[in-house]
Amino acid sequence: MSGISASVFGVIENTISPIAGRLSSQRHVMAIRDGFISAMPFLIVGSFMLVFAHPPFSATSDWAFAQWWLRMAAQYESVILMPYNMTMGIMSLFIAAAIAYNLANSYKMNGFMAAMLSLMAFMVVAAPQTDKMLPVSSLGGTGIFTALLVAIFATELMHFLQVRNIGFHLPEQVPPKIQQSFDLLIPVLAIFFTLYPLSLFIQSQFGMLLPQAIMALFGPIISAADTLPAILIAVLICHLLWFAGIHGAVIVGGMLQAFWLTNLGINQQELTAGQPLTHIFIEPFWQFFIVIGGSGSTMGLVLLYLRSRSAHLRSIGKLSLVPCLFNINEPVIFGSPVVMNPTLFIPFITAPLINATLAYIATRTELVGRVISMAPWTTPAPIGAAWSTGWDLRAALLVVVLLVVSTLVYYPFFKIYERQLLAQDRPLPQTRPQAA
């Protein structure tokens, strides 16, 4: 067994860790991750307003407050949904600009000008004017993959032209802002000679906009990413990276953001249309059901630490309790330590895998509602789960059940680790000096 453990840790340390390290520092991955993070405030506020427009009560409820809320939501639906339409409804606009901005900064270019170029390019292919009106159907969740690709293309095009010094060169006396505006002339023309003809071709040949065509291509991948095997693979990779000392949540979460937001946008569109919700794997599902207290679902481990006979583990438990309540668990991961700790390896990997399986089954069988809104990831898990599912209290109850399960998974390994630490702390027996 020790030989197998050594080989597993060797693969993690020598193969997975270097690859993940290079991937996490790759400029396009970082730009995509930071772009989604930049757009998050708009998405949280917009999602919050959607819950107000769709009260968590049945139309047949006898509760006076429920009936009042239902009447108000129906009467002022367009007013309540306006913040949602201007945030979640056009979230691809924010994402396109934010990704381009961060990617341009990594190239030491003008981030603002790149964001403007990306925004224009995305509008050209996603919302061409028709009858003096701009369609918005592709500016929400269905346009995320297009926004991502267009942002990278526009910024890389701008970088290509700048490196080759292709552009209008004005005298040095010209103010820098004017020079920056002229620097964008050639990239703007290049967009209209590349993306615009492509958009026209797709419209004429397939009768759809570019975002719709890209969604058709990504459709099978999006569907596959919403299955239990895909979720378990993502959870496993994330926690293997964490075990190697790399922030797995940043890497895996960054790559999954496009899928999460697309699934969220589809669920929200189905909700507003009065249709059954179809998607499960969305960021709040990960944050509040799978990794309760942070990666590894370590809230249960922290609770065990609080009653430990080891002074070291008790101190880590007290130090980690409050951060873990808000899903920040670096103190317990590095303080225990969990990283590269063979005793805690199995529960650290297993607990979130079991949570993911149980939560997926509960959601799939409609024991709990599906995610319809974004809650800040630092929200305590029971509250965040209820919030993101439209205040479904069954979701909060499920979090409690999963917490108990993860605590039970950690318990035998915690006791082994506790005994190891106690043995290390035990003073050596004193030997009497022999008589001369």
Side-chain angles (χ1 to χ4, degrees), residues 101-337:
Y101 177 87
N102 286 285
L103 182 56
N105 283 344
S106 73
Y107 282 124
K108 308 301 181 184
M109 299 192 306
N110 189 309
F112 176 77
M113 302 304 283
M116 293 299 99
L117 179 67
S118 174
L119 194 59
M120 182 216 71
F122 178 68
M123 291 294 290
V124 165
V125 300
Q129 186 179 24
T130 304
D131 297 329
K132 298 183 179 180
M133 299 181 67
L134 296 178
V136 298
S137 58
S138 297
L139 302 184
T142 56
I144 288 176
F145 286 101
T146 305
L148 189 156
L149 296 173
V150 166
I152 294 176
F153 174 78
T155 309
E156 289 293 343
L157 176 63
M158 185 176 172
H159 180 246
F160 175 86
L161 296 172
Q162 180 173 308
V163 167
R164 285 154 183 78
N165 203 25
I166 300 174
F168 292 97
H169 304 289
L170 302 180
E172 295 182 359
Q173 294 80 6
V174 174
K177 293 297 180 182
I178 296 178
Q179 178 64 60
Q180 290 173 7
S181 66
F182 273 82
D183 288 342
L184 211 59
L185 283 176
I186 300 298
V188 169
L189 290 173
I191 291 295
F192 279 108
F193 282 118
T194 54
L195 287 183
Y196 185 47
L198 175 63
S199 178
L200 292 177
F201 173 78
I202 292 177
Q203 291 179 57
S204 63
Q205 294 298 315
F206 303 101
M208 60 178 66
L209 297 176
L210 183 60
Q212 297 165 347
I214 291 177
M215 279 296 293
L217 292 175
F218 277 92
I221 300 176
I222 294 172
S223 298
D226 202 43
T227 61
L228 180 58
I231 296 172
L232 295 180
I233 291 172
V235 172
L236 179 62
I237 293 174
C238 172
H239 288 82
L240 286 176
L241 293 177
W242 256 121
F243 193 76
I246 297 174
H247 204 305
V250 170
I251 297 175
V252 175
M255 293 187 291
L256 290 175
Q257 278 291 345
F259 295 96
W260 284 341
L261 290 178
T262 300
N263 289 345
L264 178 61
I266 293 173
N267 273 9
Q268 291 180 340
Q269 291 173 1
E270 292 167 344
L271 179 66
T272 55
Q275 300 172 350
L277 307 184
T278 54
H279 290 281
I280 295 175
F281 195 32
I282 302 172
E283 185 173 6
F285 181 87
W286 176 287
Q287 296 289 359
F288 305 126
F289 292 132
I290 297 178
V291 290
I292 303 170
S295 295
S297 193
T298 51
M299 189 69 214
L301 183 61
V302 170
L303 295 178
L304 292 173
Y305 279 2
L306 293 175
R307 301 293 299 273
S308 175
R309 292 180 295 147
S310 167
H312 170 70
L313 295 184
R314 279 200 312 275
S315 63
I316 293 299
K318 294 175 183 178
L319 179 66
S320 305
L321 179 61
V322 173
C324 242
L325 289 173
F326 298 95
N327 304 313
I328 301 169
N329 69 341
E330 279 80 359
V332 66
I333 283 183
F334 295 105
S336 297

Side-chain angles (χ1 to χ4, degrees), residues 72 91 118 418:
M72 292 291 290
M91 61 179 168
S118 174
E418 181 185 56

Side-chain angles (χ1 to χ4, degrees), residues 33-34 40 154 160 172 175 192 264 273 401 432:
R33 180 199 66 197
D34 294 341
M40 202 57 63
F160 175 86
E172 295 182 359
F192 279 108
L264 178 61
V401 172
R432 295 183 179 180

